[in-house]
Amino acid sequence: MKKIGIVGCGNISGIYMTNIGTKFKNIVIAGICDLIREKAENRSAEFGGLRIYRDMYEIFADPEVDIVLNITRPNDHYGVTKAALEAGKSVYSEKPLATNMDDARELVELAKSKGLTLGGAPDTFMGAGIQTARRLIDEGTIGRPIGATAHFLGHGPEGWHPDPEFFYKRGGGPMLDMGPYYITCLVNLLGKADWVTAFGSISFPQRVIGSEPHRGEVIDVEVDTFTSGAIRFASGAVASFTASFDSYTDFSEYIEIFGEKGSIRVPDPNTFNGPVRLLLPGGKYEEVPLDPGFTNNSRSLGLSDMASAMEEGRFHRANYMQQLHVLDIMTAFERSSRANAPVEITSPFERQPAVDPDQICGTY
């Protein structure tokens, strides 16, 4: 049993707290903290009186805490993770690992130097939906993958999120916010990427918040809110990807893999379930039954797998190598756009074994 100290009690914390210790038997919450103590108090009351630490440093000093769960805002991921690692704690972080490659590489080297475990979200690729698509590809059902297309399209979170400003500041934008789900899915289906070429723009320099409690406030946009480009994989496959906070559409989440012998439509990578649809020559798209596995909102699955891996002495699936490679790809979109040139992806990546739910000892 690994004890988890949680830093950050924002929107995403609820599903983590729900699943830790209830869905997964090998992890339990030691306690929580937030810079805004009221948020921690509300979560503590919601989940039966969880211990509230004074601050994150009290978590780091607690010898009972085995893993720090960093679910702060993206711009805070680097600082919180670095402080936890320096204090000798393994860390599982929400996406992204950091907001730039220099900081991310520093975290990886720090974890290695201290013999600590580092990894993080997203873990939706471990769900039955994407795992079923992976099996079909690995078994050769559509032959050699030759290409893919993916997009996330929407008109931004300022209409519904209670505190949306950070989405439009450095470390935000549709690429670093939603891109991790799509890029993580693609590398788990197609393998290592080696080049990116892309273009991006700030379509609306200012955004007006339409949700409470900041309704009417104006956000100055600092990051590209529409970005589109292509990823070439080491296998030779090429994928197009568009991420937008500027689009009105009812066709917003989409991934399709094209092979020599057919195509697969992959489910929304921000979910753990399906549907998975298969098209073979001469036929039409038909839904494929999902393999046994995780089909509901199973956030903390990657954390549970990490806890098990620490006990078993293996590399976990939602690991730092994957996070670093995904960040390398995502930040390459902006680097390519600014340079008006292709950008090489130099970070290593190796897919981990497919998920066998019967072998993930942390689950009930």
Side-chain angles (χ1 to χ4, degrees):
M1 176 78 71
K2 296 294 185 184
K3 293 187 177 181
I4 312 300
I6 300 177
V7 181
C9 296
N11 275 8
I12 196 66
S13 66
I15 189 62
Y16 275 98
M17 293 180 191
T18 297
N19 289 341
I20 295 172
T22 56
K23 185 184 289 291
F24 304 106
K25 67 183 180 182
N26 65 338
I27 48 179
V28 65
I29 298 173
I32 63 177
C33 76
D34 194 281
L35 283 174
I36 302 174
R37 186 176 176 85
E38 183 182 4
K39 290 185 177 181
E41 290 173 347
N42 290 340
R43 286 300 190 203
S44 175
E46 181 180 355
F47 289 93
L50 296 173
R51 176 182 177 182
I52 300 175
Y53 290 95
R54 180 179 62 256
D55 54 29
M56 67 180 187
Y57 298 102
E58 189 175 10
I59 289 181
F60 305 159
D62 186 350
E64 294 291 309
V65 172
D66 300 297
I67 301 171
V68 171
L69 174 58
N70 178 4
I71 45 179
T72 58
R73 292 183 175 187
N75 267 332
D76 296 323
H77 289 178
Y78 164 75
V80 173
T81 296
K82 181 179 180 180
L85 292 171
E86 288 176 334
K89 298 297 186 185
S90 293
V91 179
Y92 186 94
S93 171
E94 247 304 324
K95 47 79 180 173
L97 176 60
T99 58
N100 64 74
M101 286 299 290
D102 288 342
D103 286 350
R105 290 191 184 99
E106 180 186 348
L107 294 177
V108 168
E109 292 308 312
L110 180 58
K112 287 180 178 179
S113 70
K114 289 182 167 288
L116 298 168
T117 304
L118 175 64
D123 55 6
T124 47
F125 74 96
M126 297 174 66
I130 294 173
Q131 290 293 306
T132 300
R134 171 176 168 165
R135 176 185 59 77
L136 292 170
I137 293 170
D138 291 352
E139 290 178 350
T141 303
I142 62 170
R144 178 177 60 90
I146 58 176
T149 185
H151 61 240
F152 167 78
L153 307 174
H155 210 267
E158 68 271 23
W160 59 268
H161 196 280
D163 195 12
E165 183 175 16
F166 73 95
F167 287 102
Y168 296 99
K169 301 301 181 181
R170 300 304 305 178
M175 182 58 73
L176 289 188
D177 179 44
M178 294 303 297
Y181 300 108
Y182 291 80
I183 305 300
T184 299
C185 175
L186 288 172
V187 299
N188 272 275
L189 299 181
L190 300 176
K192 183 184 182 300
D194 56 10
W195 287 91
V196 164
T197 184
F199 297 95
S201 64
I202 297 175
S203 304
F204 304 97
Q206 292 185 321
R207 300 280 184 144
V208 179
I209 299 175
S211 56
E212 301 297 343
H214 299 286
R215 183 185 297 275
E217 294 180 17
V218 175
I219 303 170
D220 292 321
V221 179
E222 298 177 354
V223 294
D224 286 347
T225 51
F226 193 101
T227 185
S228 186
I231 307 164
R232 194 186 77 179
F233 293 83
S235 66
V238 176
S240 63
F241 179 50
T242 298
S244 172
F245 278 167
D246 301 335
S247 306
Y248 293 105
T249 179
D250 60 358
F251 189 49
S252 58
E253 300 93 12
Y254 184 72
I255 298 179
E256 186 164 6
I257 310 296
F258 307 111
E260 296 171 311
K261 301 177 181 178
S263 299
I264 295 174
R265 287 182 179 165
V266 182
D268 178 356
N270 193 17
T271 67
F272 289 80
N273 54 17
V276 175
R277 296 185 173 93
L278 174 66
L279 173 67
L280 297 176
K284 60 182 181 179
Y285 274 101
E286 295 185 1
E287 189 167 335
V288 177
L290 297 185
D291 294 346
F294 301 91
T295 56
N296 56 6
N297 192 338
S298 298
R299 281 173 171 80
S300 294
L301 173 58
L303 175 61
S304 175
D305 182 55
M306 175 172 153
S308 295
M310 291 168 67
E311 295 288 342
E312 299 163 8
R314 61 173 172 84
F315 207 30
H316 57 294
R317 292 172 175 86
N319 56 69
Y320 66 77
M321 178 172 60
Q322 177 169 280
Q323 282 193 302
L324 187 67
H325 192 59
V326 168
L327 183 64
D328 197 1
I329 297 167
M330 294 190 301
T331 56
F333 273 72
E334 182 179 24
R335 286 179 276 146
S336 175
S337 179
R338 299 294 180 264
N340 198 27
V343 170
E344 186 175 11
I345 304 301
T346 59
S347 55
F349 176 72
E350 295 179 9
R351 291 195 310 167
Q352 297 305 300
V355 174
D356 181 345
D358 292 331
Q359 293 180 354
I360 296 182
C361 66
T363 59
Y364 283 114

